[in-house]
Amino acid sequence: MISTKVPQEEIQAQYECAQKLSALRTNKKYHIVTMGCQMNVRDSETMSGWLDLCGFKKTDSREDADIVIYNTCCVRENAENKALGNVIWLKELKRFKQDMIIGVCGCMMQEEGVAESLKARYPFINLVFGTHNAYKLPEYMLRVIYDHERVFEVWNSDGSVPEGMPTTRNNSISSFVNIMYGCNNFCTYCIVPYVRGRERSRDMEDVLKECTALKDAGVNEVTLLGQNVNSYMGGGSAFAELLKRVDEIGIERVRFMTSHPKDITDELINCFGSLKHLMPALHLPVQAGDDEVLRRMNRHYSREKYLDTVKKLRDVCPEIGLTTDIIVGFPGETREQFEKTLSLVDEVKYDAAYTFIYSPRKGTLAASYEDPVSMEEKTKWIEELIVLQQMHTNAALAAQVGKTQKVLVEAVSTRSDKTVGGKTPRGHMVNFEGDSALIGKIVSVEITGTGKNTLRGTLIREQA
Ligand code: SAH
Ligand code: SF4
Ligand code: F3S
């Protein structure tokens, strides 16, 4: 089930718009603010690719920019409030710089009524577009700059897959590669299927071509991205096959996210034992530890099935590091049910867990469920969960002390230019003494101690 591609002529038309803008030599500087998940990070890289082709220069400062674009997230209410707060703040900045161009895009724009309301309420916004039509950015920029239009265009269609777009990656060491877009799962709390549309898979050859190009460019790590990578091309064994073929390309490190526990196949589990470059790390969002809550979340797996998957993974790959997402205070969740989440966290012993208080999202099924537990109570619960998880995080970190690990060095520390940081295969962050010449290399580091969520180490060898 490969999805149809956006016709190449349409993409070509964008290149032409970019060329026209570039010929105008506007000297404009742009700044993109990215909120939300890796999907948005990757989309921002494509937007950056287009804006570079338009002849604009990237700047790290909003104040310095002539074009500011907000790539928004709406998965929880606080993400949405943050996005709105930021955009409104720009109004002040625009007072001093009247020809500043303000664009807002991303998931929040796909919510019903949001684009219309921004258009009516905030005349200082020049451009709004959604997740399905982001590939038309050069055309929109041309209309804003050349025709002085206000452009508000959000497509509801699930769209097809655009290929052949330029991209300016944020990170030349570790790169994200989309393998699919959208989601069909409709977990009852989640807005993503509404704002990202139905599941669409990229052609395997296009994914492989992108990965090969990244390897040729010296990238040492790729992360294959999708809301549920296991249903790549409609599910079955397609994802495991893709992984095997990506592994053969020979990029040092391969990771993927996110996996839905309901359709992890044995074939995929076995990849952790057999593929040379697949890292021993898996993000496997559990959301809750109680079967009734899982059922009402529409997750399609039981606690037992999840724990069985964890066991199989550890049998195949004892070193595997597991991380998860957990929602606390799903509507109707009782204290007793929440305690099942606590006991599951105790059983699995995750390396890390991302924990969220349930946030009602308009249009989702769970938003209509009765939700009798107070926010105060839910806050107590999540604090309890965080303390418990921190204990397991500490234990996982402490177990690394004394081992020698291969670390892919990613950056110089923000605290000291004599310290660099990078990740172990399992995904733990390690800081150690070293200089910027190590960035991009995989080196051997002896783990000597732990920080709150990181490791400390000593460089042993510059070759892993
Ligand atoms: N596709 C991914 C993640 C999507 S959103 C997956 O299925 O795992 C990332 C996380 O945000 C989810 O795993 C969930 O834990 C959390 N989340 C989503 N909707 C939420 C809501 N309404 N309230 C609180 N947390 C939510
Ligand atoms: Fe949301 Fe569920 Fe889809 Fe993940 S799988 S994006 S949580 S609906
Ligand atoms: Fe947010 Fe959209 Fe990702 S809603 S979590 S940025 S898919």
PDB file of all heavy atoms in Angstrom, residues 338-366:
ATOM      1  N   PHE A 338      -4.466   3.328  38.358  1.00  0.00           N
ATOM      2  CA  PHE A 338      -3.189   4.032  38.254  1.00  0.00           C
ATOM      3  C   PHE A 338      -2.071   3.222  38.923  1.00  0.00           C
ATOM      4  O   PHE A 338      -0.935   3.171  38.427  1.00  0.00           O
ATOM      5  CB  PHE A 338      -3.300   5.431  38.887  1.00  0.00           C
ATOM      6  CG  PHE A 338      -1.959   6.092  39.086  1.00  0.00           C
ATOM      7  CD1 PHE A 338      -1.179   6.451  37.991  1.00  0.00           C
ATOM      8  CD2 PHE A 338      -1.460   6.322  40.369  1.00  0.00           C
ATOM      9  CE1 PHE A 338       0.079   7.032  38.167  1.00  0.00           C
ATOM     10  CE2 PHE A 338      -0.217   6.900  40.555  1.00  0.00           C
ATOM     11  CZ  PHE A 338       0.553   7.253  39.460  1.00  0.00           C
ATOM     12  N   GLU A 339      -2.411   2.554  40.016  1.00  0.00           N
ATOM     13  CA  GLU A 339      -1.388   1.742  40.695  1.00  0.00           C
ATOM     14  C   GLU A 339      -0.876   0.606  39.805  1.00  0.00           C
ATOM     15  O   GLU A 339       0.255   0.153  39.942  1.00  0.00           O
ATOM     16  CB  GLU A 339      -1.917   1.226  42.039  1.00  0.00           C
ATOM     17  CG  GLU A 339      -1.902   2.345  43.074  1.00  0.00           C
ATOM     18  CD  GLU A 339      -2.518   1.975  44.410  1.00  0.00           C
ATOM     19  OE1 GLU A 339      -2.874   0.803  44.605  1.00  0.00           O
ATOM     20  OE2 GLU A 339      -2.641   2.888  45.252  1.00  0.00           O
ATOM     21  N   LYS A 340      -1.711   0.179  38.865  1.00  0.00           N
ATOM     22  CA  LYS A 340      -1.261  -0.836  37.891  1.00  0.00           C
ATOM     23  C   LYS A 340      -0.171  -0.249  36.993  1.00  0.00           C
ATOM     24  O   LYS A 340       0.724  -0.964  36.545  1.00  0.00           O
ATOM     25  CB  LYS A 340      -2.438  -1.315  37.027  1.00  0.00           C
ATOM     26  CG  LYS A 340      -3.524  -2.029  37.789  1.00  0.00           C
ATOM     27  CD  LYS A 340      -3.350  -3.540  37.647  1.00  0.00           C
ATOM     28  CE  LYS A 340      -4.426  -4.351  38.332  1.00  0.00           C
ATOM     29  NZ  LYS A 340      -5.802  -4.080  37.866  1.00  0.00           N
ATOM     30  N   THR A 341      -0.283   1.041  36.709  1.00  0.00           N
ATOM     31  CA  THR A 341       0.782   1.689  35.927  1.00  0.00           C
ATOM     32  C   THR A 341       2.069   1.684  36.752  1.00  0.00           C
ATOM     33  O   THR A 341       3.151   1.372  36.244  1.00  0.00           O
ATOM     34  CB  THR A 341       0.381   3.141  35.549  1.00  0.00           C
ATOM     35  OG1 THR A 341      -0.760   3.089  34.702  1.00  0.00           O
ATOM     36  CG2 THR A 341       1.505   3.857  34.819  1.00  0.00           C
ATOM     37  N   LEU A 342       1.942   2.016  38.035  1.00  0.00           N
ATOM     38  CA  LEU A 342       3.133   2.021  38.896  1.00  0.00           C
ATOM     39  C   LEU A 342       3.773   0.634  38.915  1.00  0.00           C
ATOM     40  O   LEU A 342       4.999   0.500  38.775  1.00  0.00           O
ATOM     41  CB  LEU A 342       2.768   2.435  40.329  1.00  0.00           C
ATOM     42  CG  LEU A 342       2.274   3.875  40.524  1.00  0.00           C
ATOM     43  CD1 LEU A 342       1.877   4.095  41.997  1.00  0.00           C
ATOM     44  CD2 LEU A 342       3.325   4.905  40.119  1.00  0.00           C
ATOM     45  N   SER A 343       2.939  -0.408  39.055  1.00  0.00           N
ATOM     46  CA  SER A 343       3.527  -1.746  39.157  1.00  0.00           C
ATOM     47  C   SER A 343       4.128  -2.184  37.824  1.00  0.00           C
ATOM     48  O   SER A 343       5.135  -2.878  37.780  1.00  0.00           O
ATOM     49  CB  SER A 343       2.503  -2.760  39.681  1.00  0.00           C
ATOM     50  OG  SER A 343       1.531  -3.013  38.704  1.00  0.00           O
ATOM     51  N   LEU A 344       3.542  -1.725  36.721  1.00  0.00           N
ATOM     52  CA  LEU A 344       4.123  -2.059  35.416  1.00  0.00           C
ATOM     53  C   LEU A 344       5.498  -1.393  35.246  1.00  0.00           C
ATOM     54  O   LEU A 344       6.453  -2.011  34.769  1.00  0.00           O
ATOM     55  CB  LEU A 344       3.185  -1.620  34.285  1.00  0.00           C
ATOM     56  CG  LEU A 344       3.698  -1.969  32.896  1.00  0.00           C
ATOM     57  CD1 LEU A 344       2.663  -2.744  32.093  1.00  0.00           C
ATOM     58  CD2 LEU A 344       4.143  -0.748  32.128  1.00  0.00           C
ATOM     59  N   VAL A 345       5.579  -0.153  35.686  1.00  0.00           N
ATOM     60  CA  VAL A 345       6.867   0.564  35.615  1.00  0.00           C
ATOM     61  C   VAL A 345       7.911  -0.179  36.446  1.00  0.00           C
ATOM     62  O   VAL A 345       9.076  -0.311  36.047  1.00  0.00           O
ATOM     63  CB  VAL A 345       6.670   2.034  36.074  1.00  0.00           C
ATOM     64  CG1 VAL A 345       7.988   2.717  36.394  1.00  0.00           C
ATOM     65  CG2 VAL A 345       5.929   2.810  34.997  1.00  0.00           C
ATOM     66  N   ASP A 346       7.487  -0.712  37.585  1.00  0.00           N
ATOM     67  CA  ASP A 346       8.393  -1.505  38.424  1.00  0.00           C
ATOM     68  C   ASP A 346       8.829  -2.789  37.729  1.00  0.00           C
ATOM     69  O   ASP A 346       9.960  -3.227  37.869  1.00  0.00           O
ATOM     70  CB  ASP A 346       7.706  -1.869  39.743  1.00  0.00           C
ATOM     71  CG  ASP A 346       8.090  -0.906  40.845  1.00  0.00           C
ATOM     72  OD1 ASP A 346       9.190  -0.305  40.752  1.00  0.00           O
ATOM     73  OD2 ASP A 346       7.294  -0.741  41.792  1.00  0.00           O
ATOM     74  N   GLU A 347       7.891  -3.384  37.007  1.00  0.00           N
ATOM     75  CA  GLU A 347       8.222  -4.646  36.333  1.00  0.00           C
ATOM     76  C   GLU A 347       9.143  -4.438  35.146  1.00  0.00           C
ATOM     77  O   GLU A 347      10.105  -5.174  34.954  1.00  0.00           O
ATOM     78  CB  GLU A 347       6.937  -5.338  35.851  1.00  0.00           C
ATOM     79  CG  GLU A 347       6.439  -6.374  36.824  1.00  0.00           C
ATOM     80  CD  GLU A 347       5.265  -7.154  36.265  1.00  0.00           C
ATOM     81  OE1 GLU A 347       5.446  -7.939  35.327  1.00  0.00           O
ATOM     82  OE2 GLU A 347       4.152  -6.953  36.786  1.00  0.00           O
ATOM     83  N   VAL A 348       8.842  -3.435  34.324  1.00  0.00           N
ATOM     84  CA  VAL A 348       9.601  -3.269  33.078  1.00  0.00           C
ATOM     85  C   VAL A 348      10.982  -2.658  33.335  1.00  0.00           C
ATOM     86  O   VAL A 348      11.955  -3.009  32.689  1.00  0.00           O
ATOM     87  CB  VAL A 348       8.823  -2.413  32.048  1.00  0.00           C
ATOM     88  CG1 VAL A 348       9.643  -2.224  30.782  1.00  0.00           C
ATOM     89  CG2 VAL A 348       7.486  -3.059  31.714  1.00  0.00           C
ATOM     90  N   LYS A 349      11.056  -1.742  34.295  1.00  0.00           N
ATOM     91  CA  LYS A 349      12.323  -1.049  34.571  1.00  0.00           C
ATOM     92  C   LYS A 349      12.845  -0.328  33.331  1.00  0.00           C
ATOM     93  O   LYS A 349      13.859  -0.690  32.735  1.00  0.00           O
ATOM     94  CB  LYS A 349      13.383  -2.021  35.112  1.00  0.00           C
ATOM     95  CG  LYS A 349      12.948  -2.697  36.392  1.00  0.00           C
ATOM     96  CD  LYS A 349      14.014  -3.603  36.956  1.00  0.00           C
ATOM     97  CE  LYS A 349      13.617  -4.176  38.299  1.00  0.00           C
ATOM     98  NZ  LYS A 349      12.287  -4.824  38.334  1.00  0.00           N
ATOM     99  N   TYR A 350      12.103   0.710  32.952  1.00  0.00           N
ATOM    100  CA  TYR A 350      12.477   1.514  31.783  1.00  0.00           C
ATOM    101  C   TYR A 350      13.739   2.327  32.063  1.00  0.00           C
ATOM    102  O   TYR A 350      13.986   2.739  33.194  1.00  0.00           O
ATOM    103  CB  TYR A 350      11.361   2.502  31.449  1.00  0.00           C
ATOM    104  CG  TYR A 350      10.062   1.869  31.004  1.00  0.00           C
ATOM    105  CD1 TYR A 350       8.965   1.812  31.853  1.00  0.00           C
ATOM    106  CD2 TYR A 350       9.944   1.350  29.724  1.00  0.00           C
ATOM    107  CE1 TYR A 350       7.770   1.246  31.437  1.00  0.00           C
ATOM    108  CE2 TYR A 350       8.750   0.773  29.302  1.00  0.00           C
ATOM    109  CZ  TYR A 350       7.671   0.732  30.160  1.00  0.00           C
ATOM    110  OH  TYR A 350       6.498   0.176  29.749  1.00  0.00           O
ATOM    111  N   ASP A 351      14.477   2.609  30.992  1.00  0.00           N
ATOM    112  CA  ASP A 351      15.587   3.561  31.113  1.00  0.00           C
ATOM    113  C   ASP A 351      15.048   4.971  31.350  1.00  0.00           C
ATOM    114  O   ASP A 351      15.651   5.766  32.053  1.00  0.00           O
ATOM    115  CB  ASP A 351      16.429   3.567  29.827  1.00  0.00           C
ATOM    116  CG  ASP A 351      17.408   2.398  29.792  1.00  0.00           C
ATOM    117  OD1 ASP A 351      17.366   1.560  30.713  1.00  0.00           O
ATOM    118  OD2 ASP A 351      18.220   2.328  28.840  1.00  0.00           O
ATOM    119  N   ALA A 352      13.921   5.276  30.724  1.00  0.00           N
ATOM    120  CA  ALA A 352      13.305   6.596  30.898  1.00  0.00           C
ATOM    121  C   ALA A 352      11.837   6.518  30.520  1.00  0.00           C
ATOM    122  O   ALA A 352      11.443   5.656  29.728  1.00  0.00           O
ATOM    123  CB  ALA A 352      13.993   7.631  30.002  1.00  0.00           C
ATOM    124  N   ALA A 353      11.045   7.429  31.097  1.00  0.00           N
ATOM    125  CA  ALA A 353       9.627   7.479  30.730  1.00  0.00           C
ATOM    126  C   ALA A 353       9.210   8.940  30.591  1.00  0.00           C
ATOM    127  O   ALA A 353       9.596   9.787  31.406  1.00  0.00           O
ATOM    128  CB  ALA A 353       8.782   6.800  31.805  1.00  0.00           C
ATOM    129  N   TYR A 354       8.467   9.222  29.539  1.00  0.00           N
ATOM    130  CA  TYR A 354       7.905  10.560  29.352  1.00  0.00           C
ATOM    131  C   TYR A 354       6.489  10.506  29.887  1.00  0.00           C
ATOM    132  O   TYR A 354       5.671   9.723  29.398  1.00  0.00           O
ATOM    133  CB  TYR A 354       7.945  10.951  27.875  1.00  0.00           C
ATOM    134  CG  TYR A 354       9.349  10.903  27.342  1.00  0.00           C
ATOM    135  CD1 TYR A 354       9.874   9.736  26.799  1.00  0.00           C
ATOM    136  CD2 TYR A 354      10.187  12.021  27.474  1.00  0.00           C
ATOM    137  CE1 TYR A 354      11.192   9.678  26.372  1.00  0.00           C
ATOM    138  CE2 TYR A 354      11.503  11.964  27.045  1.00  0.00           C
ATOM    139  CZ  TYR A 354      12.001  10.793  26.498  1.00  0.00           C
ATOM    140  OH  TYR A 354      13.305  10.728  26.094  1.00  0.00           O
ATOM    141  N   THR A 355       6.221  11.302  30.903  1.00  0.00           N
ATOM    142  CA  THR A 355       4.938  11.186  31.588  1.00  0.00           C
ATOM    143  C   THR A 355       4.097  12.455  31.385  1.00  0.00           C
ATOM    144  O   THR A 355       4.631  13.567  31.421  1.00  0.00           O
ATOM    145  CB  THR A 355       5.164  10.965  33.092  1.00  0.00           C
ATOM    146  OG1 THR A 355       6.015  12.005  33.576  1.00  0.00           O
ATOM    147  CG2 THR A 355       5.817   9.629  33.366  1.00  0.00           C
ATOM    148  N   PHE A 356       2.823  12.274  31.147  1.00  0.00           N
ATOM    149  CA  PHE A 356       1.934  13.397  30.858  1.00  0.00           C
ATOM    150  C   PHE A 356       0.636  13.254  31.630  1.00  0.00           C
ATOM    151  O   PHE A 356       0.095  12.151  31.707  1.00  0.00           O
ATOM    152  CB  PHE A 356       1.586  13.444  29.366  1.00  0.00           C
ATOM    153  CG  PHE A 356       2.758  13.275  28.452  1.00  0.00           C
ATOM    154  CD1 PHE A 356       3.008  12.049  27.836  1.00  0.00           C
ATOM    155  CD2 PHE A 356       3.638  14.328  28.222  1.00  0.00           C
ATOM    156  CE1 PHE A 356       4.096  11.882  26.990  1.00  0.00           C
ATOM    157  CE2 PHE A 356       4.741  14.163  27.381  1.00  0.00           C
ATOM    158  CZ  PHE A 356       4.970  12.943  26.761  1.00  0.00           C
ATOM    159  N   ILE A 357       0.139  14.376  32.138  1.00  0.00           N
ATOM    160  CA  ILE A 357      -1.229  14.356  32.672  1.00  0.00           C
ATOM    161  C   ILE A 357      -2.167  14.436  31.478  1.00  0.00           C
ATOM    162  O   ILE A 357      -1.933  15.219  30.543  1.00  0.00           O
ATOM    163  CB  ILE A 357      -1.462  15.537  33.634  1.00  0.00           C
ATOM    164  CG1 ILE A 357      -0.616  15.347  34.900  1.00  0.00           C
ATOM    165  CG2 ILE A 357      -2.949  15.664  33.985  1.00  0.00           C
ATOM    166  CD1 ILE A 357      -0.811  16.404  35.962  1.00  0.00           C
ATOM    167  N   TYR A 358      -3.213  13.630  31.491  1.00  0.00           N
ATOM    168  CA  TYR A 358      -4.176  13.629  30.388  1.00  0.00           C
ATOM    169  C   TYR A 358      -4.689  15.040  30.115  1.00  0.00           C
ATOM    170  O   TYR A 358      -5.049  15.777  31.034  1.00  0.00           O
ATOM    171  CB  TYR A 358      -5.363  12.712  30.727  1.00  0.00           C
ATOM    172  CG  TYR A 358      -6.501  12.898  29.761  1.00  0.00           C
ATOM    173  CD1 TYR A 358      -6.417  12.382  28.477  1.00  0.00           C
ATOM    174  CD2 TYR A 358      -7.628  13.623  30.120  1.00  0.00           C
ATOM    175  CE1 TYR A 358      -7.444  12.591  27.565  1.00  0.00           C
ATOM    176  CE2 TYR A 358      -8.656  13.832  29.217  1.00  0.00           C
ATOM    177  CZ  TYR A 358      -8.560  13.317  27.942  1.00  0.00           C
ATOM    178  OH  TYR A 358      -9.561  13.532  27.037  1.00  0.00           O
ATOM    179  N   SER A 359      -4.708  15.389  28.839  1.00  0.00           N
ATOM    180  CA  SER A 359      -5.199  16.700  28.438  1.00  0.00           C
ATOM    181  C   SER A 359      -6.314  16.509  27.403  1.00  0.00           C
ATOM    182  O   SER A 359      -6.082  15.913  26.356  1.00  0.00           O
ATOM    183  CB  SER A 359      -4.013  17.483  27.843  1.00  0.00           C
ATOM    184  OG  SER A 359      -4.442  18.629  27.181  1.00  0.00           O
ATOM    185  N   PRO A 360      -7.548  16.955  27.721  1.00  0.00           N
ATOM    186  CA  PRO A 360      -8.645  16.722  26.777  1.00  0.00           C
ATOM    187  C   PRO A 360      -8.429  17.486  25.468  1.00  0.00           C
ATOM    188  O   PRO A 360      -8.087  18.671  25.499  1.00  0.00           O
ATOM    189  CB  PRO A 360      -9.878  17.276  27.510  1.00  0.00           C
ATOM    190  CG  PRO A 360      -9.397  17.823  28.810  1.00  0.00           C
ATOM    191  CD  PRO A 360      -7.934  17.704  28.913  1.00  0.00           C
ATOM    192  N   ARG A 361      -8.599  16.797  24.358  1.00  0.00           N
ATOM    193  CA  ARG A 361      -8.444  17.419  23.041  1.00  0.00           C
ATOM    194  C   ARG A 361      -9.771  17.410  22.320  1.00  0.00           C
ATOM    195  O   ARG A 361     -10.379  16.344  22.143  1.00  0.00           O
ATOM    196  CB  ARG A 361      -7.397  16.664  22.190  1.00  0.00           C
ATOM    197  CG  ARG A 361      -6.042  16.480  22.802  1.00  0.00           C
ATOM    198  CD  ARG A 361      -5.159  17.712  22.778  1.00  0.00           C
ATOM    199  NE  ARG A 361      -5.705  18.827  23.544  1.00  0.00           N
ATOM    200  CZ  ARG A 361      -5.499  20.106  23.243  1.00  0.00           C
ATOM    201  NH1 ARG A 361      -4.797  20.443  22.205  1.00  0.00           N
ATOM    202  NH2 ARG A 361      -5.991  21.050  23.994  1.00  0.00           N
ATOM    203  N   LYS A 362     -10.200  18.580  21.881  1.00  0.00           N
ATOM    204  CA  LYS A 362     -11.493  18.723  21.218  1.00  0.00           C
ATOM    205  C   LYS A 362     -11.600  17.800  20.007  1.00  0.00           C
ATOM    206  O   LYS A 362     -10.667  17.711  19.218  1.00  0.00           O
ATOM    207  CB  LYS A 362     -11.646  20.177  20.753  1.00  0.00           C
ATOM    208  CG  LYS A 362     -13.047  20.696  20.822  1.00  0.00           C
ATOM    209  CD  LYS A 362     -13.048  22.188  20.568  1.00  0.00           C
ATOM    210  CE  LYS A 362     -13.999  22.499  19.429  1.00  0.00           C
ATOM    211  NZ  LYS A 362     -13.722  23.777  18.805  1.00  0.00           N
ATOM    212  N   GLY A 363     -12.729  17.111  19.909  1.00  0.00           N
ATOM    213  CA  GLY A 363     -12.944  16.240  18.739  1.00  0.00           C
ATOM    214  C   GLY A 363     -12.538  14.801  18.978  1.00  0.00           C
ATOM    215  O   GLY A 363     -12.904  13.916  18.211  1.00  0.00           O
ATOM    216  N   THR A 364     -11.758  14.530  20.033  1.00  0.00           N
ATOM    217  CA  THR A 364     -11.384  13.141  20.314  1.00  0.00           C
ATOM    218  C   THR A 364     -12.469  12.502  21.186  1.00  0.00           C
ATOM    219  O   THR A 364     -13.183  13.204  21.914  1.00  0.00           O
ATOM    220  CB  THR A 364     -10.033  13.052  21.061  1.00  0.00           C
ATOM    221  OG1 THR A 364     -10.165  13.715  22.323  1.00  0.00           O
ATOM    222  CG2 THR A 364      -8.911  13.700  20.278  1.00  0.00           C
ATOM    223  N   LEU A 365     -12.532  11.185  21.136  1.00  0.00           N
ATOM    224  CA  LEU A 365     -13.580  10.476  21.864  1.00  0.00           C
ATOM    225  C   LEU A 365     -13.467  10.678  23.382  1.00  0.00           C
ATOM    226  O   LEU A 365     -14.457  10.930  24.074  1.00  0.00           O
ATOM    227  CB  LEU A 365     -13.473   8.979  21.521  1.00  0.00           C
ATOM    228  CG  LEU A 365     -14.757   8.189  21.589  1.00  0.00           C
ATOM    229  CD1 LEU A 365     -15.836   8.842  20.728  1.00  0.00           C
ATOM    230  CD2 LEU A 365     -14.507   6.760  21.104  1.00  0.00           C
ATOM    231  N   ALA A 366     -12.260  10.586  23.908  1.00  0.00           N
ATOM    232  CA  ALA A 366     -12.077  10.641  25.359  1.00  0.00           C
ATOM    233  C   ALA A 366     -12.481  11.996  25.946  1.00  0.00           C
ATOM    234  O   ALA A 366     -12.788  12.098  27.134  1.00  0.00           O
ATOM    235  CB  ALA A 366     -10.630  10.329  25.722  1.00  0.00           C
TER     236      ALA A 366
END
